[in-house]
Amino acid sequence: MMMSFFILFPLLLSIASPLQVASHSHEGHHINCGSQKESTIEGIKWITEHGLIKLGKTHNLNTQGILPTLSSLRYFPEKSVRKYCYTIPVIKGGKYLIRTSYYYGDFDAGKEPPVFDQIIGETKWSVVNTSENYANGLSTYYEIITVALRKKMSVCLARNEFTVGNPFISTLEFEYLNDSMYNATDFKNYALATTSRHRFGLSDGAILRYPDDPVNRYWQSFADEHPVVESHTNVSSSYFWNVPPEKAFRRGLTTSKGKKLTLKWPPTNLENANYYIALYFQDNRTPSPFSWRIFDVKINGENLYTKLNVSTAGVMVYSAHRPLSGQVTITLIPDENSPVGPVINAAEILQIVPLGRRTHTRDVNVMEDLARRLKNVPIDWSGDPCMPKENSWTGVSCSEGKFARVVSINLTNFGLDGTLPQSIGKLTAVKSIWLGGNKLHGNIPDMSSLKHLVSLHLENNQFNGSIPTSLEKLEKLQELYLQNNNLRGELPSNLRNRGGIKIQYNEQMIDNER
C-alpha cells in the first residue's frame, strides 16, 4: 500500500529566505499554482499554470508572513470529476523528482483541510492529509522520483471516500535528475517516494536546498544526544552516484573511540514496506595517513556493510530494497583497530512504490487525439484514460490485465462537436462505441481494424458522405445505428444481408436475428 510522505518546513520564514526551487535547467518545471503571473525568487523562475491544467479555480491567501509561493493556490470544486490533472511536458526516459506542496490557509472557510488522493501517471501515489501540519502553522510537501515513460507526465488529484471540501494544491515542481542518481532502482516497475532526508549534527530546523543542492532536494536538520563534529575538508559530491550536496558533509554525529554509535533514524515510524536507504560518511579530521575510520554498519541489527573504511574523501553505502517497519535503528560498530569512533553525516530513506497497471500506449495516444479533436469532451479527460481504475475518464471503460485497453466509449448526448479522427481505428480492443446524440460531422472513419467491435452507435449526429464499406469487415458487429445523419447511399450488401445484426439507417431498420 502506498503511503503519504510529508516533510515539514516552517511556514513563517522571513521573506528574505523564500521557498527555493531547483536548478535553472530548462528540463525542470516550477509551477506556482493559482498565480496569475510569473515570478523570479532569488534567481529561480516560477511559472504559471497556463496550458497545464483546465480544471479548478484560483484563490489568493491573505495570511501574513507566508512564503510567496504559498500565497496562492488552485482548488477543485467540481465534485463529479474523477480526477484533476496537470499535464507536464518532459523528456521521455528522463528521471524526475516531483514535489507537490500544500498550504491550506482556510481558503474555503472549512473546518479543516480536505483529505484527497495524489496520482502520478497511472499510479495512486499517496493520500494528502495536511490537517496536523496546518494546525501547527506548517505547510506540507510530498516527493516522488520516477522516470517519464512518454513525452508528457500527469500529476493528478482526486477525491476519495474521506474527502470533505475541495482538493487543492499550492506548488508543483519537476526536478530533472541525472542517470546516476538512485540508479539501483528498477524505474520501469517502481518509483521512490521520499520518507526522510537529513543532514546530521544540526538542530536549528534549517533546510539545505538549492543552490547548495543543484537538484533542490530538501535536506532537513537532525541531531540527538551524540557529539557533533565539523569537517576540516570539503567532499567532491560528484564522486557519489546520488550527488549529495557538499554541505551535507560539513557536520556529523560521532562517539568515542571503541564505542558503537546507535541512531534511531528516521525520526518517524515507517509503514511496513520496502525501502531504499542511502547513508553518507566522511572522516572529519584534517587529511593525514591516520584520517580514516573503520566500522560495521547495521540496520535493525542486520549487516548493511562490514568494515567500512571512511576517509576524508567520504563514502556512501546503500540498500536498494530493504523491508522495514516501525522505528528503525542504525548501528555503527567500530573496528577494534580504528583510532576513533564511528561517524555519520547524512542519510536518505525512500519508500519503494510499485507502479500501477498502465494503459496501452496506442490507446493513450488515440484517446488524447480524441480529446484534442472534439469539443465538449468531459472535463476530466486528462491524465491516463484508464488508470487508476476508479479514476478513469468519464464515459470510458477499460480491460483488466498488465496493460489496460479501452473497451468501451459512451458519450451519448454529451454535446460533442467535431470530426472523428482516423486514429479511432487503432482502438483495436474496443467493443462498443456510443456517440449518438451529438454534433459530430464529416465522414465516418475507417474502422475495419476494430475486430472486437460489437456495438456502434453514431445516430442523431451530422455525419455526411457514404457509409464506409470498411464496416463490412467487422465480423463481430451486432448493432449499427446510423439514423438521423446526412449520410447518402445504400448500406453495403454484406451488412444488409448478414445475420445476427441489428441496423438502423434513415427510415430503414434491419433486425436480422438469424
Side-chain angles (χ1 to χ4, degrees):
M1 173 180 290
M2 287 170 280
M3 62 174 284
S4 61
F5 306 101
F6 55 91
I7 310 173
L8 311 181
F9 55 95
L11 173 65
L12 299 176
L13 296 179
S14 67
I15 298 301
S17 301
L19 176 64
Q20 305 273 347
V21 193
S23 68
H24 297 270
S25 170
H26 69 282
E27 298 159 337
H29 303 277
H30 320 121
I31 303 159
N32 192 356
C33 303
S35 178
Q36 303 303 310
K37 60 181 181 180
E38 294 184 352
S39 60
T40 299
I41 300 175
E42 294 192 354
I44 306 301
K45 187 176 182 179
W46 289 86
I47 64 173
T48 68
E49 307 156 297
H50 180 71
L52 302 177
I53 192 166
K54 300 177 181 178
L55 296 169
K57 297 181 178 181
T58 62
H59 183 87
N60 292 319
L61 300 176
N62 294 320
T63 309
Q64 296 296 315
I66 62 174
L67 304 174
T69 50
L70 300 179
S71 62
S72 63
L73 57 83
R74 179 170 290 270
Y75 69 99
F76 303 95
E78 305 94 340
K79 292 185 178 180
S80 63
V81 173
R82 296 186 180 183
K83 57 187 173 187
Y84 318 98
C85 296
Y86 287 84
T87 302
I88 309 298
V90 291
I91 298 172
K92 183 178 180 180
K95 190 183 301 177
Y96 290 87
L97 183 150
I98 300 167
R99 182 185 298 119
T100 54
S101 298
Y102 301 92
Y103 180 65
Y104 175 55
D106 197 27
F107 72 89
D108 58 357
K111 293 183 179 179
E112 60 181 17
V115 176
F116 51 92
D117 293 335
Q118 288 188 123
I119 300 167
I120 179 76
E122 68 289 333
T123 300
K124 188 172 291 186
W125 159 20
S126 61
V127 176
V128 175
N129 188 344
T130 67
S131 296
E132 181 178 351
N133 302 348
Y134 179 67
N136 292 322
L138 301 169
S139 58
T140 302
Y141 71 81
Y142 298 71
E143 288 182 354
I144 194 165
I145 298 172
T146 190
V147 166
L149 301 177
R150 303 175 66 237
K151 292 182 180 179
K152 293 181 289 185
M153 190 181 297
S154 61
V155 176
C156 310
L157 308 181
R159 296 172 183 268
N160 59 34
E161 59 182 317
F162 304 108
T163 304
V164 177
N166 301 313
F168 72 99
I169 185 170
S170 301
T171 67
L172 172 61
E173 305 169 61
F174 275 62
E175 316 292 356
Y176 185 83
L177 307 182
N178 67 43
D179 290 340
S180 74
M181 299 181 70
Y182 311 99
N183 62 5
T185 301
D186 174 12
F187 283 106
K188 292 182 179 179
N189 295 298
Y190 300 96
L192 295 177
T194 305
T195 301
S196 288
R197 181 180 293 113
H198 284 91
R199 53 172 179 158
F200 298 143
L202 292 98
S203 57
D204 56 5
I207 294 177
L208 182 68
R209 53 197 182 195
Y210 182 85
D212 296 303
D213 188 330
V215 295
N216 199 36
R217 288 165 296 185
Y218 290 177
W219 299 79
Q220 295 180 280
S221 304
F222 180 92
D224 59 11
E225 71 281 1
H226 290 97
V228 175
V229 292
E230 296 201 19
S231 178
H232 293 177
T233 56
N234 294 338
V235 166
S236 178
S237 61
S238 61
Y239 293 151
F240 297 83
W241 291 342
N242 292 347
V243 198
E246 182 273 326
K247 282 189 177 179
F249 292 88
R250 292 284 180 87
R251 290 190 173 195
L253 298 177
T254 190
T255 189
S256 303
K257 176 182 177 181
K259 292 185 177 181
K260 64 182 180 182
L261 190 157
T262 300
L263 195 67
K264 292 189 180 300
W265 182 91
T268 56
N269 288 342
L270 300 183
E271 177 185 335
N272 186 11
N274 293 311
Y275 293 85
Y276 175 104
I277 305 170
L279 308 177
Y280 303 94
F281 310 89
Q282 185 209 16
D283 189 335
N284 65 293
R285 297 172 295 166
T286 302
S288 76
F290 304 101
S291 296
W292 50 267
R293 302 171 188 249
I294 297 178
F295 48 86
D296 297 341
V297 182
K298 295 179 181 289
I299 297 178
N300 288 348
E302 297 182 358
N303 280 335
L304 175 62
Y305 202 97
T306 301
K307 294 191 179 301
L308 179 68
N309 191 335
V310 175
S311 70
T312 55
V315 66
M316 174 189 110
V317 297
Y318 73 96
S319 177
H321 196 277
R322 183 169 290 258
L324 295 169
S325 64
Q327 178 64 64
V328 174
T329 300
I330 298 172
T331 307
L332 310 179
I333 304 174
D335 182 84
E336 61 182 10
N337 296 318
S338 184
V340 286
V343 67
I344 184 168
N345 300 82
E348 300 178 87
I349 184 165
L350 305 97
Q351 186 176 358
I352 299 172
V353 179
L355 297 179
R357 294 170 51 233
R358 298 201 297 273
T359 304
H360 196 290
T361 300
R362 179 193 302 163
D363 287 15
V364 174
N365 292 338
V366 173
M367 297 306 296
E368 289 180 344
D369 195 22
L370 272 176
R372 285 192 298 269
R373 295 284 293 273
L374 300 181
K375 296 179 181 178
N376 303 323
V377 297
I379 57 177
D380 59 6
W381 272 34
S382 60
D384 191 286
C386 296
M387 304 305 298
K389 184 176 181 180
E390 61 271 27
N391 304 111
S392 63
W393 289 6
T394 294
V396 176
S397 297
C398 302
S399 67
E400 301 294 333
K402 181 178 179 181
F403 290 99
R405 302 295 308 275
V406 174
V407 294
S408 73
I409 302 173
N410 184 355
L411 295 178
T412 304
N413 298 322
F414 222 94
L416 300 179
D417 193 354
T419 60
L420 289 182
Q422 292 294 327
S423 62
I424 199 170
K426 297 180 180 180
L427 291 177
T428 53
V430 73
K431 297 179 180 180
S432 66
I433 299 176
W434 289 21
L435 298 175
N438 291 292
K439 299 178 182 179
L440 301 175
H441 51 88
N443 294 330
I444 297 174
D446 184 347
M447 299 187 187
S448 59
S449 59
L450 305 185
K451 303 300 184 184
H452 299 282
L453 190 64
V454 173
S455 180
L456 178 61
H457 284 238
L458 300 178
E459 72 277 8
N460 302 322
N461 277 286
Q462 300 167 15
F463 287 106
N464 51 39
S466 59
I467 300 175
T469 58
S470 59
L471 295 177
E472 295 180 312
K473 299 179 181 180
L474 303 179
E475 298 179 356
K476 293 186 178 181
L477 194 63
Q478 297 175 14
E479 290 184 340
L480 178 60
Y481 285 32
L482 300 174
Q483 72 272 23
N484 299 325
N485 279 288
N486 300 319
L487 297 167
R488 63 178 184 272
E490 297 291 326
L491 283 167
S493 59
N494 285 351
L495 282 175
R496 188 170 60 248
N497 299 323
R498 184 191 299 177
I501 189 171
K502 182 185 292 185
I503 301 176
Q504 291 193 27
Y505 172 48
N506 292 338
E507 302 300 322
Q508 183 178 13
M509 177 175 177
I510 301 173
D511 191 353
N512 295 334
E513 296 294 341
R514 67 181 187 275

